[in-house]
Amino acid sequence: MPVEIEQFMCRSDNFGVLMRDPETGDVALIDAPEEKPILEAIERTGWQPKLLLITHHHADHVEANLALKERFGLKIIGPEAEAAKIPGIDDTVREGSTIDFGNEEIQVLDTPGHTAGHVSYYLPHSGVLFAADTLFALGCGRLLECPPAVMYESLKKLSDLPSDTVVYCGHEYTLSNAQFALTVDPDNKVLQERARKVEALRADNRPTLPTTIGEELATNPFLRWADPAIRAHLGMQQASSDEVFAEIRRRKDNF
Ligand code: ZN
Ligand code: FE
């Protein structure tokens, strides 16, 4: 049976996620943006985590590490390359690492770009990906520690996952991402339709996540480097895919 998931807001626009294996009752938390809403989610669900999976070192993903560790004695796992910056870390992982969780295996994917050591967590059996600040709905993370080609490779890796993979992300940025996406891919009907849905959800204060790899491939300009219409719009018909990605990222930074 696939994992059960509880997604909730933290801070102003971060997501917290609890997941539970329905067969074994094991619970993990993905990132620790803020203590109070996490405790409320644990209270609401009755799901007490014994594992905390960290994607990268930014404060809005690790702030509650020590408080939660003290309260629940949970084990903290995070990227080897950022271990020194992750409070309370017990175990490190990297590309190819696996983590036992309930009756299934979590696979670790290196997805640098937003930070140099960012990892994503993939559950092939459940078909779930936790991409944090690498891939957003209709967007991708800002390139704070890496050149564009590094992020391009990470996004390419994620875009090769099965299209029905359900994707959880670190932030609710979808509305502004949609507004930007329409500027580089204005004639994409699927994108136009999605932008309308996103507007309606946000007007209702409802989350736009999770998404799927398939939905992102159809609408997220940061995965659509090969699309002829986007290339024509940018005047980059002959450019390499990572150059197209870099130009879209540059435009978003100035949007
Ligand atoms: Zn971040
Ligand atoms: Fe973040």
Side-chain angles (χ1 to χ4, degrees):
M1 274 205 285
V3 290
E4 303 173 287
I5 290 179
E6 172 80 2
Q7 174 185 259
F8 49 94
M9 294 310 298
C10 295
R11 306 170 80 100
S12 56
D13 54 38
N14 277 79
F15 286 108
V17 172
L18 282 167
M19 75 169 166
R20 177 178 180 273
D21 183 311
E23 285 154 28
T24 64
D26 287 333
V27 177
L29 174 70
I30 293 73
D31 285 337
E34 188 185 8
E35 186 183 6
K36 187 165 177 280
I38 293 171
L39 293 179
E40 286 166 357
I42 292 169
E43 174 83 6
R44 182 166 68 241
T45 54
W47 299 356
Q48 192 166 308
K50 60 176 188 185
L51 196 61
L52 169 55
L53 303 175
I54 297 295
T55 59
H56 67 295
H57 69 85
H58 286 157
D60 63 315
H61 298 257
V62 303
E63 188 186 81
N65 280 21
L66 295 179
L68 294 170
K69 187 171 191 169
E70 189 172 326
R71 191 182 285 260
F72 299 111
L74 40 67
K75 179 174 173 184
I76 302 179
I77 294 179
E80 185 174 77
E82 299 183 356
K85 299 178 195 162
I86 296 171
I89 192 164
D90 296 297
D91 261 352
T92 62
V93 289
R94 58 195 298 181
E95 178 79 23
S97 299
T98 58
I99 302 161
D100 288 328
F101 175 72
N103 283 335
E104 73 179 296
E105 184 175 80
I106 301 171
Q107 296 180 357
V108 178
L109 307 173
D110 279 342
T111 51
H114 174 66
T115 66
H118 192 297
V119 296
S120 298
Y121 296 98
Y122 175 50
L123 284 74
H125 175 72
S126 287
V128 172
L129 172 73
F130 299 101
D133 292 3
T134 299
L135 175 64
F136 293 130
L138 295 173
C140 76
R142 284 193 298 140
L143 308 184
L144 300 177
E145 300 179 7
C146 297
V150 173
M151 181 61 117
Y152 163 74
E153 290 297 336
S154 294
L155 292 172
K156 194 158 172 285
K157 185 189 289 183
L158 298 184
S159 72
D160 286 338
L161 294 174
S163 67
D164 59 354
T165 303
V166 176
V167 184
Y168 289 83
C169 308
H171 294 268
E172 177 60 73
Y173 290 158
T174 318
L175 184 57
S176 63
N177 286 345
Q179 288 158 356
F180 170 75
L182 287 166
T183 68
V184 289
D185 197 9
D187 301 322
N188 182 338
K189 294 276 186 299
V190 184
L191 171 60
Q192 292 166 5
E193 179 56 30
R194 188 177 182 192
R196 281 192 287 273
K197 276 188 205 150
V198 164
E199 254 177 65
L201 284 169
R202 293 312 296 148
D204 243 8
N205 204 24
R206 283 155 66 195
T208 61
L209 274 289
T211 177
T212 63
I213 292 293
E215 196 170 9
E216 294 313 309
L217 283 170
T219 53
N220 184 333
F222 295 96
L223 300 183
R224 293 170 55 73
W225 45 71
D227 183 72
I230 291 182
R231 285 174 162 253
H233 185 81
L234 300 174
M236 297 183 78
Q237 287 93 332
Q238 307 305 322
S240 65
S241 293
D242 66 300
E243 286 169 343
V244 174
F245 167 76
E247 173 60 17
I248 296 171
R249 187 59 253 182
R250 191 190 64 74
R251 289 182 181 219
K252 176 70 162 65
D253 289 341
N254 298 315
F255 180 65

